[in-house]
């Protein structure tokens, strides 16, 4: 049976912005595509809306420092040098103007060809989705439109010297009904595993979490099969 997942054409991309809620959110498969793109010369930036301070069995102030540092190492593993962590409260993200404004500002500053976020449906392929993921993804999608409208967040244009920016494509990773995908190689797979392994102390606080090498290659192989490749990463893609 022929797959309905098309090959993603990213050949003209120069810059990509990944918007997620927490450290480690980009490391469950998406980072394989990020490594593939950065190796090809695409500039990939990460915008994390929180520093994940509520995600460990230790005081939030300590957890936030640990998770931010682990995310920096995870970025290095896949060739990302531009990481911005905002200070929205982990576990308390609320969809609204504050999130949209911050994301739109980053879009206007970086001027990416594509914005990527992760699944923000209530029911994700792995079960009920976490509240921060839902708020972050929806805010990212709406901020793409905001960034292109000069009458939305006018202060960024009139006071901060930014200009509007039209993003060509929105990609949602981890979607249960993907439309497109990109084939990746073994080196990309290994880099994705390494990027998740960088979250050492975080994963140690999750005793039931499987080792990255035990499940990530299977996820990437399943996506690759949809593309006729050994490994791949799939997305729900929207043209903007």
């Amino acid at each position: 049976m022929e797959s309905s997942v098309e090959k993603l054409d990213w050949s003209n991309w120069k810059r990509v912005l990944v918007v997620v809620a927490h450290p480690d959110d980009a490391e469950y498969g998406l980072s394989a595509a990020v490594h593939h793109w950065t190796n090809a010369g695409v500039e990939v930036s990460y915008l994390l809306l929180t520093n994940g301070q509520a995600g460990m069995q230790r005081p939030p102030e300590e957890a936030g420092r640990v998770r931010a540092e682990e995310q920096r190492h995870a970025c290095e593993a896949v060739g990302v040098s531009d990481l911005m962590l905002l200070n929205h409260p982990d576990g308390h993200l609320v969809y609204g103007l504050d999130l949209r404004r911050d994301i739109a500002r980053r879009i206007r500053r970086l001027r990416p060809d594509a914005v990527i976020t992760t699944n923000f449906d209530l029911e994700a392929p792995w079960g009920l989705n976490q509240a921060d993921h839902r708020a972050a993804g929806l805010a990212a999608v709406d901020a793409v439109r905001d960034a292109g409208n000069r009458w939305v967040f006018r202060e960024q244009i009139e006071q901060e010297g930014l200009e509007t920016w039209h993003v060509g494509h929105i990609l949602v990773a981890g979607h249960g009904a993907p439309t497109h995908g990109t084939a990746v190689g073994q080196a990309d797979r290994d880099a994705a595993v390494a990027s998740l392994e960088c979250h050492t102390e975080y994963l140690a606080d999750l005793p039931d979490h499987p080792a990255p090498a035990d499940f990530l290659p299977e996820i990437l192989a399943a996506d690759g099969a949809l593309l006729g490749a050994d490994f791949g990463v799939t997305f729900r893609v929207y043209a903007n």
Side-chain angles (χ1 to χ4, degrees), residues 207-225:
D208 296 328
H209 193 290
D214 290 343
F215 75 95
L216 264 183
E218 294 181 3
I219 292 175
L220 297 171
D223 280 0

Side-chain angles (χ1 to χ4, degrees), residues 13-230:
W13 289 1
K14 294 181 175 61
R15 300 179 189 85
V16 172
L17 174 62
V18 173
V19 181
V20 294
H22 314 108
D24 91 306
D25 283 353
E27 271 74 74
Y28 288 83
L30 170 57
S31 55
V34 170
H35 183 264
H36 190 70
W37 294 329
T38 58
N39 269 0
V42 179
E43 296 178 20
V44 180
S45 299
Y46 280 16
L47 176 64
L48 276 60
L49 303 182
T50 80
N51 61 13
Q53 64 265 42
M56 299 180 71
Q57 302 303 315
R58 60 181 73 188
E61 298 77 11
E62 180 184 352
R65 290 193 297 272
V66 168
R67 298 199 69 192
E69 184 62 23
E70 290 185 339
Q71 183 61 58
R72 293 185 185 97
H73 292 306
C75 286
E76 291 170 1
V78 293
V80 172
S81 59
D82 182 19
L83 167 65
M84 173 176 282
L85 295 98
L86 300 183
N87 200 31
H88 292 281
D90 182 17
H92 297 152
L93 280 188
V94 177
Y95 169 83
L97 292 178
D98 287 345
L99 289 186
R100 286 168 50 190
R101 180 181 293 108
D102 285 348
I103 300 168
R105 176 182 290 109
R106 197 64 179 152
I107 292 170
R108 286 170 168 171
R109 190 173 301 279
L110 293 177
R111 304 168 79 82
D113 300 294
V115 167
I116 304 175
T117 191
T118 55
N119 189 305
F120 53 92
D121 291 338
L122 174 61
E123 294 185 51
W126 53 87
L128 291 176
N129 209 348
Q130 199 261 0
D132 285 356
H133 298 164
R134 305 199 311 269
L138 185 58
V141 168
D142 288 344
V144 167
R145 181 169 292 175
D146 296 334
N149 187 335
R150 70 172 44 256
W151 308 121
V152 177
F153 308 134
R154 292 173 61 178
E155 73 281 1
Q156 295 178 359
I157 297 171
E158 297 169 359
Q159 300 172 25
E160 299 177 32
L162 300 176
E163 291 295 336
T164 59
W165 180 253
H166 176 81
V167 176
H169 292 89
I170 302 168
L171 281 66
V172 181
H175 199 282
T179 58
H180 295 73
T182 185
V184 300
Q186 183 169 331
D188 305 313
R189 180 204 67 180
D190 294 345
V193 171
S195 71
L196 184 53
E197 289 175 341
C198 287
H199 297 276
T200 308
E201 293 190 52
Y202 171 68
L203 294 177
D205 262 14
L206 304 174
D208 296 328
H209 193 290
D214 290 343
F215 75 95
L216 264 183
E218 294 181 3
I219 292 175
L220 297 171
D223 280 0
L226 298 175
L227 299 162
D230 290 337

